[in-house]
Amino acid sequence: IGLFHDLNLDARLYATVAQKTRLPTLKDRYSIRLGRYIENPGIRPEEAVNYEIGYQGRLWGKAQAEAALFWNDIKDKIQSVNLNGAADCSNVNQCQMQNVGKARIKGVELGLKMPLGTQWEIGGNATWMDVKNISDPTVRLTGIPKTKILLHALWRPVASVNLVAFAERNGSRWGSNTVKLNGFTTLNLKAVWHLQALAAEIGVNNATDKNYELNDGFPTPGRMWFANLSYRF
């Protein structure tokens, strides 16, 4: 449900309320993950009510800005729990996907996108979050960074070619109830060539070959080159 009010042709205020349900997957219910987990077929769906108020509009020239405050009330939060309180999951210290109770996530999000002449565009998005386990503050909510910042720059040397750079900064997050994972910064680059309905891409993800983890003990891929060819019809 949303309420939107246009202040003028270039600015809008809004307020929304959304109810969402995350159904547990078959992996959440039954996978033992090479003996490191115990199945939990009785795990309940995770339900959330999300509230948001915000602004969208033009600040100056063609610069577009967004700002939002959000509050998420979560019931039956689904996450991995180590049954023995160890730092990671193993055949000795097994984990289980469980409903850890009620949680609250609140924060603010700011965004800006601005063209520089006819060939350049720069922009960014920043999110700050405060996370709390309402049912049991001693149980950490895992996998959620406190801060996330995205920056991008686009150069269009000719009409059919885009050169794009993305930088992403993630703050620290809890990987388990006792292990806190460090924050990290990655850089992605790509070139895109458009010819009517045909598009060709070449680029590199994690260009600096940063070694980082989203889950304790599971490093993410290093530098990866890619090429794509697509046709839209």
Side-chain angles (χ1 to χ4, degrees):
I1 299 174
L3 178 64
F4 302 86
H5 174 62
D6 290 334
L7 300 173
N8 52 54
L9 294 177
D10 299 318
R12 165 179 286 184
L13 297 175
Y14 69 89
T16 62
V17 179
Q19 184 174 7
K20 300 182 179 181
T21 301
R22 174 196 166 189
L23 300 175
T25 64
L26 290 176
K27 183 176 181 179
D28 291 334
R29 293 178 184 272
Y30 298 110
S31 177
I32 62 174
R33 310 185 194 194
L34 301 177
R36 296 181 297 109
Y37 275 70
I38 296 175
E39 62 269 21
N40 184 7
I43 191 170
R44 297 182 299 276
E46 175 185 308
E47 298 181 358
V49 180
N50 305 328
Y51 307 90
E52 183 173 324
I53 58 174
Y55 166 86
Q56 298 170 334
R58 182 183 298 177
L59 292 182
W60 61 84
K62 295 183 178 180
Q64 297 290 328
E66 296 182 355
L69 298 173
F70 59 87
W71 183 293
N72 302 335
D73 285 323
I74 305 171
K75 183 175 73 173
D76 291 329
K77 179 79 170 67
I78 298 174
Q79 72 175 35
S80 175
V81 175
N82 194 302
L83 302 179
N84 296 322
D88 55 8
C89 305
S90 66
N91 292 339
V92 176
N93 296 305
Q94 292 178 304
C95 294
Q96 186 180 54
M97 298 301 293
Q98 294 183 358
N99 300 104
V100 296
K102 294 182 179 180
R104 184 264 295 144
I105 302 174
K106 64 179 180 179
V108 59
E109 184 173 11
L110 302 174
L112 178 66
K113 182 172 66 173
M114 181 172 59
L116 300 176
T118 59
Q119 293 184 304
W120 285 89
E121 177 183 292
I122 59 173
N125 180 278
T127 305
W128 293 268
M129 289 180 287
D130 179 60
V131 181
K132 185 177 181 180
N133 187 334
I134 303 297
S135 297
D136 186 356
T138 64
V139 176
R140 307 282 189 182
L141 298 183
T142 59
I144 305 175
K146 290 186 176 181
T147 59
K148 188 172 184 178
I149 301 174
L150 301 172
L151 300 174
H152 79 268
L154 181 149
W155 178 39
R156 190 177 294 109
V158 295
S160 60
V161 175
N162 292 342
L163 303 178
V164 188
F166 290 92
E168 178 177 339
R169 171 65 186 176
N170 279 246
S172 60
R173 69 186 74 197
W174 287 97
S176 69
N177 212 47
T178 56
V179 175
K180 194 172 187 179
L181 303 176
N182 294 327
F184 60 88
T185 302
T186 59
L187 176 64
N188 304 326
L189 306 169
K190 72 175 182 178
V192 186
W193 175 64
H194 297 277
L195 180 62
Q196 297 180 354
L198 185 68
E201 292 184 345
I202 187 170
V204 56
N205 290 331
N206 194 4
T208 60
D209 202 25
K210 180 68 175 179
N211 183 20
Y212 66 97
E213 296 175 326
L214 299 179
N215 293 291
D216 185 38
F218 293 89
T220 57
R223 184 184 298 113
M224 295 191 303
W225 297 89
F226 66 88
N228 297 319
L229 185 65
S230 60
Y231 183 82
R232 178 176 296 181
F233 56 91

